[in-house]
Amino acid sequence: MPIEVKNLCYSYKKGTPFEKKVLHDISLTVNDGEFLGLIGPTQAGKTTLAQHFNALLLPQSGKVLIGNCDTCLKDANLIALRQKVGYIFQNPDYQLFAPTVGEDVAFGPKNQGLSGNEVEERVIEAMTQVGLDFDTFKNRDIFALSGGQKRRAAVAGVLACRPQILILDDITAGLDPRGRDEILEVVKGLHQQSMITIIFISNSMETVARLADRLVVMDQGRIVMDGSTRDIFTRSDHLQEIGLEIPDIMHIAKQLREKGFNLPPALLNIEEAAESITECLANRQVSD
Amino acid sequence: MSGEQAGERLMELTKNITLGVYMPGETAIHRLDPRTKLISACLLIVLLLIIKSYQAYALFFIFIAAIILVSQIPIGYALRGLKPMLPVLVLMWFFQLFLYSSPDANILFSWWIFTATDAGAHMGNLISMRVLLLFVVTTTLTLTTTMVDLTDGMDSLLKPLGRIGLPSHELVMTMIIALRFVLILAEELDKIVKAQMARGVAFDQGNFIQKTKKLFPVFLPLFINAFKRAEELIVAMEARSYAGSRGRTKMKTLHMGRVDFYAACVILFFTAMTILFILQFPPMIR
């Protein structure tokens, strides 16, 4: 189920003296099954754009087509759309409210009108997908969860609706490295096993470098770059101009290149870098 | 309300909150000492509660409109905050129409067990105008005065009470934080509503009871987050050595200027005119 955005514009507080235009003429297509990284400096418009993908916001001009459904149409079934496109917020506290984890995860499927058995099935499935053992956590108080566990519970709550597309809005912010790795493992697993389309909003270049196939870079309400992860990272100067940092490993690779090492233009992670450097050194020894 | 309008209303809850918002400007009103503005606002509110004739209310309307014009706040924006109140006001008006009566009232019409009187209509008008103008006066105050100035102004005015043992500073601080939190909690509410909408809750559908039930997944996170924020605020204030009013001094002290003198004259003139109107014109209700 692809998402098409055509000439989308959006302003906050429209009609008041505090009106601020946040999206300027955005056009974009999200393809089925891809892992899309939506990156950009703060206030670039990433969240605003992403909230159009599940009709939490409606375009003020332009069009957003989810599947083939135009969100602006009067009879568009927005509730059905929101079941197909899941949105996970940065702060799980905005979402968790039920007394126990099990009940909270069941909230989504219940809203979909499913029978008791189906709801339980979905809850077990979702909690397993995020790594929260059903029997252990089913009756646990949501206030007794750690930060990382809360986040996983929130993800489970959305997964229980079985969405075809999943939007993750900066979900690693504020997590310690272990919590971050845990949640990213879940996300990676989801993409590989269930082939869900994933739209990943983040400021962390390391993370998107590792996981995303395609990157869309936004700055001040416009899309400035759109391409495969590798292509985007070769343009590190442009990224830095916008105010984005490239992963540390790329800094090192850049310096090595300046010193004469013939490394490929975009190395996305430490493993690739290690391989390339080893190869380079081997070649040097050979030529010497 | 169509589904689309309801959706739009849900999408930006904070758009219509005007109480506690500051609109920067360099107008005479903005430059007034906050104490002048506070005392004037109190005076206006007292006047509002004692005038009872349509003519006096017309005078009041003109005066407050003039103030808003001078402050260069778009009138549309100043009135925006009233939107959520409108249904309640209309309901109140009808209540008065049917339920209020006085000995010399004339009956306008009867319907079932309800009798509408002209005295009821007048009372409805009176109450509505009072509420509306009360809101407009307060909003104009907060739109033209920063939070810091409001705090300093109130602090200064209530200091004499502090000397007789009333915790004036703490009261002021409580009021100001509450005012600030109106906007903060509205923003939180916005995010929570969206989070639950994303899980399939349709806030705009269903009858009254169903809609009320749907508010639970919204209000629980809201209250919890409000308490969390309160705790964080306490720690932040203590970390900056806040200890109430003990030994507290200010970097920027307030002083009255020429603008304040003119403003005082204008307000006194208006008060005099109002008293004249009160004496000259009969009240709409006895």
Side-chain angles (χ1 to χ4, degrees):
Chain A
M1 193 177 78
I3 298 181
E4 254 189 86
V5 176
K6 295 185 190 166
N7 305 109
L8 173 65
C9 293
Y10 193 85
S11 308
Y12 279 117
K13 300 215 197 291
K14 194 167 183 144
T16 72
F18 297 102
E19 181 173 325
K20 184 170 179 210
K21 193 163 191 186
V22 176
L23 293 180
H24 297 82
D25 203 27
I26 302 267
S27 293
L28 171 72
T29 308
V30 179
N31 303 310
D32 215 5
E34 71 180 345
F35 197 121
L36 185 111
L38 187 57
I39 59 177
T42 41
Q43 307 285 308
K46 309 183 294 270
T47 300
T48 313
L49 176 60
Q51 288 186 350
H52 280 91
F53 292 158
N54 74 333
L56 284 178
L57 290 175
L58 294 178
Q60 284 167 358
S61 80
K63 267 200 219 211
V64 173
L65 294 150
I66 303 176
N68 280 318
C69 182
D70 186 339
T71 57
C72 284
L73 295 177
K74 271 224 165 91
D75 58 347
N77 191 345
L78 299 179
I79 315 252
L81 278 177
R82 288 186 200 128
Q83 288 168 4
K84 294 196 208 150
V85 184
Y87 195 107
I88 299 176
F89 286 80
Q90 183 183 349
N91 190 345
D93 290 323
Y94 289 147
Q95 189 186 313
L96 300 172
F97 72 98
T100 64
V101 175
E103 280 176 59
D104 196 85
V105 177
F107 185 63
K110 275 205 200 141
N111 286 332
Q112 288 177 300
L114 299 173
S115 75
N117 283 330
E118 285 176 310
V119 170
E120 178 147 343
E121 216 183 276
R122 294 269 188 103
V123 172
I124 300 177
E125 183 188 81
M127 285 176 72
T128 321
Q129 279 176 314
V130 301
L132 287 172
D133 179 53
F134 181 66
D135 295 307
T136 322
F137 286 94
K138 177 176 64 174
N139 288 322
R140 191 161 294 191
D141 200 321
I142 52 172
F143 300 120
L145 296 173
S146 73
Q149 286 169 337
K150 271 194 201 166
R151 216 156 285 226
R152 282 191 274 167
V155 175
V158 173
L159 286 179
C161 302
R162 290 229 187 115
Q164 296 172 24
I165 301 176
L166 200 58
I167 304 172
L168 302 157
D169 195 344
D170 212 358
I171 57 169
T172 57
L175 285 178
D176 57 301
R178 175 144 149 219
R180 196 186 60 213
D181 287 340
E182 279 175 357
I183 200 82
L184 289 177
E185 273 310 302
V186 171
V187 173
K188 202 161 102 179
L190 279 171
H191 185 238
Q192 284 170 347
Q193 287 156 20
S194 324
M195 248 77 78
I196 303 182
T197 311
I198 297 201
I199 299 171
F200 193 84
I201 303 176
S202 180
N203 279 325
S204 163
M205 296 298 113
E206 251 109 5
T207 315
V208 290
R210 253 199 287 158
L211 299 173
D213 309 318
R214 173 182 165 204
L215 288 183
V216 170
V217 185
M218 287 183 76
D219 186 28
Q220 295 181 335
R222 285 169 228 269
I223 295 182
V224 292
M225 287 196 253
D226 181 353
S228 79
T229 314
R230 223 170 270 281
D231 283 339
I232 301 290
F233 275 116
T234 52
R235 297 191 251 168
S236 59
D237 289 333
H238 193 179
L239 286 170
Q240 284 177 310
E241 257 172 58
I242 303 174
L244 291 174
E245 264 310 311
I246 53 174
D248 292 333
I249 193 65
M250 289 190 197
H251 271 300
I252 296 174
K254 202 166 150 189
Q255 288 174 317
L256 287 173
R257 264 180 237 122
E258 282 162 15
K259 293 266 162 96
F261 277 78
N262 197 9
L263 297 171
L267 295 165
L268 294 176
N269 52 47
I270 296 181
E271 292 80 17
E272 280 185 21
E275 248 182 69
S276 302
I277 295 175
T278 320
E279 218 182 284
C280 251
L281 287 172
N283 287 342
R284 272 200 170 194
Q285 283 188 327
V286 168
S287 63
D288 285 343
Chain B
M1 190 181 286
S2 76
E4 197 180 86
Q5 276 174 291
E8 200 197 71
R9 188 183 63 165
L10 286 174
M11 266 155 212
E12 269 192 76
L13 286 169
T14 54
K15 205 159 86 158
N16 291 331
I17 307 258
T18 53
L19 197 65
V21 178
Y22 172 66
M23 193 176 292
E26 288 296 309
T27 67
I29 310 279
H30 284 85
R31 284 181 284 131
L32 286 173
D33 186 298
R35 291 170 293 183
T36 319
K37 285 190 267 192
L38 282 164
I39 297 176
S40 307
C42 288
L43 190 59
L44 287 175
I45 291 176
V46 166
L47 284 175
L48 200 53
L49 295 173
I50 59 179
I51 59 181
K52 281 196 173 135
S53 64
Y54 284 112
Q55 293 87 345
Y57 273 104
L59 182 69
F60 202 99
F61 263 112
I62 296 173
F63 186 64
I64 200 78
I67 294 184
I68 296 180
L69 274 168
V70 172
S71 66
Q72 289 178 2
I73 293 174
I75 294 217
Y77 188 68
L79 297 176
R80 199 177 256 271
L82 285 168
K83 257 200 217 168
M85 272 205 266
L86 240 35
V88 178
L89 283 178
V90 171
L91 196 69
M92 237 189 349
W93 193 87
F94 276 104
F95 257 47
Q96 296 303 320
L97 179 70
F98 289 117
L99 298 176
Y100 179 81
S101 191
S102 72
D104 52 332
N106 304 315
I107 297 182
L108 297 172
F109 62 89
S110 274
W111 179 66
W112 191 27
I113 53 166
F114 298 115
T115 334
T117 60
D118 62 348
H122 288 313
M123 187 54 127
N125 292 339
L126 183 76
I127 294 190
S128 309
M129 282 194 282
R130 276 196 183 153
V131 171
L132 275 156
L133 288 168
L134 211 69
F135 183 83
V136 174
V137 168
T138 334
T139 310
T140 311
L141 176 66
T142 58
L143 280 171
T144 56
T145 322
T146 64
M147 282 292 139
V148 177
D149 279 347
L150 269 178
T151 323
D152 286 350
M154 278 200 242
D155 230 358
S156 170
L157 287 174
L158 292 178
K159 223 196 234 168
L161 288 178
R163 292 204 196 104
I164 59 166
L166 197 75
S168 65
H169 171 83
E170 283 74 11
L171 277 172
V172 170
M173 202 47 112
T174 313
M175 263 195 285
I176 291 293
I177 292 177
L179 192 61
R180 188 74 187 91
F181 263 65
V182 168
L183 194 61
I184 291 177
L185 289 179
E187 286 171 353
E188 293 266 291
L189 187 66
D190 193 74
K191 292 192 191 138
I192 294 170
V193 165
K194 288 215 178 113
Q196 306 300 26
M197 261 164 76
R199 289 212 277 174
V201 184
F203 288 104
D204 47 353
Q205 287 173 9
N207 60 42
F208 184 69
I209 298 193
Q210 288 170 329
K211 275 195 202 177
T212 318
K213 267 206 219 166
K214 287 178 189 176
L215 291 176
F216 183 71
V218 160
F219 279 115
L220 193 77
L222 186 67
F223 278 123
I224 295 173
N225 285 335
F227 278 116
K228 275 210 193 133
R229 272 189 187 267
E231 278 187 350
E232 282 169 15
L233 189 60
I234 293 171
V235 174
M237 286 167 88
E238 285 187 340
R240 290 195 232 182
S241 309
Y242 180 73
S245 55
R246 271 179 293 143
R248 193 174 166 79
T249 57
K250 298 205 184 354
M251 183 175 94
K252 208 173 82 170
T253 46
L254 300 170
H255 18 246
M256 302 269 186
R258 216 187 291 159
V259 207
D260 298 286
F261 177 68
Y262 293 144
C265 294
V266 171
I267 289 276
L268 284 172
F269 178 68
F270 174 71
T271 312
M273 286 288 288
T274 310
I275 294 179
L276 208 76
F277 268 58
I278 293 178
L279 296 171
Q280 274 280 52
F281 298 108
M284 60 177 101
I285 318 273
R286 287 204 187 280

